[in-house]
């Protein structure tokens, strides 16, 4: 997967959480079920949203980012144990 490629290339992996992004846009509420009917007919999800000035432009809100950079060792043929160790470092660093 992605972390195996990161080990093969010796790349830095940035895992992150962002807080406050749900305030950027407003999802359209459809009380009559029109979007549901169109979604079922087209066999795909239809989602309406709007932001600043009623356009699909995000509102200016404060967003907090928590980033955990992890440098992957460069190895030609990483084992699954090495990939799992990197996985624990990348995703384990976000757990408080």
């Amino acid at each position: 997967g992605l972390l195996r490629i990161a080990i093969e290339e010796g790349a830095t992996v940035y895992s992150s959480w962002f807080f406050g992004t749900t305030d950027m846009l407003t999802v359209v509420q459809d009380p009559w079920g029109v979007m549901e009917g169109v979604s079922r007919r087209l066999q795909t999800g239809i989602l309406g949203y709007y932001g600043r000035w009623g356009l699909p432009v995000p509102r200016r809100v404060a967003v907090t980012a928590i980033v955990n950079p992890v440098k992957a060792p460069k190895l030609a043929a990483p084992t699954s144990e090495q990939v799992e160790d990197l996985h624990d470092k990348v995703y384990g660093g976000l757990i408080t």
Side-chain angles (χ1 to χ4, degrees):
L2 184 62
L3 293 181
R4 178 176 296 279
I5 295 170
I7 292 174
E8 290 172 356
E9 298 297 324
T12 301
V13 180
Y14 294 90
S15 57
S16 56
W17 284 354
F18 294 93
F19 299 96
T21 57
T22 56
D23 297 331
M24 290 181 172
L25 297 168
T26 301
V27 177
V28 174
Q29 300 293 321
D30 181 19
W32 301 284
V34 174
M35 290 189 339
E36 181 182 354
V38 171
S39 294
R40 288 181 186 273
R41 180 117 171 122
L42 296 176
Q43 296 183 351
T44 186
I46 302 294
L47 175 70
Y49 58 90
Y50 61 91
R52 200 181 328 174
W53 308 299
L55 299 173
V57 176
R59 293 182 191 89
R60 291 183 145 197
V61 295
V63 175
T64 303
I66 298 174
V67 181
N68 179 30
V70 177
K71 176 73 174 152
K74 186 167 184 166
L75 302 169
T79 64
S80 57
E81 181 179 307
Q82 292 167 328
V83 173
E84 192 62 34
D85 287 343
L86 180 61
H87 188 273
D88 291 340
K89 287 180 187 176
V90 169
Y91 296 108
L94 292 174
I95 298 172
T96 57

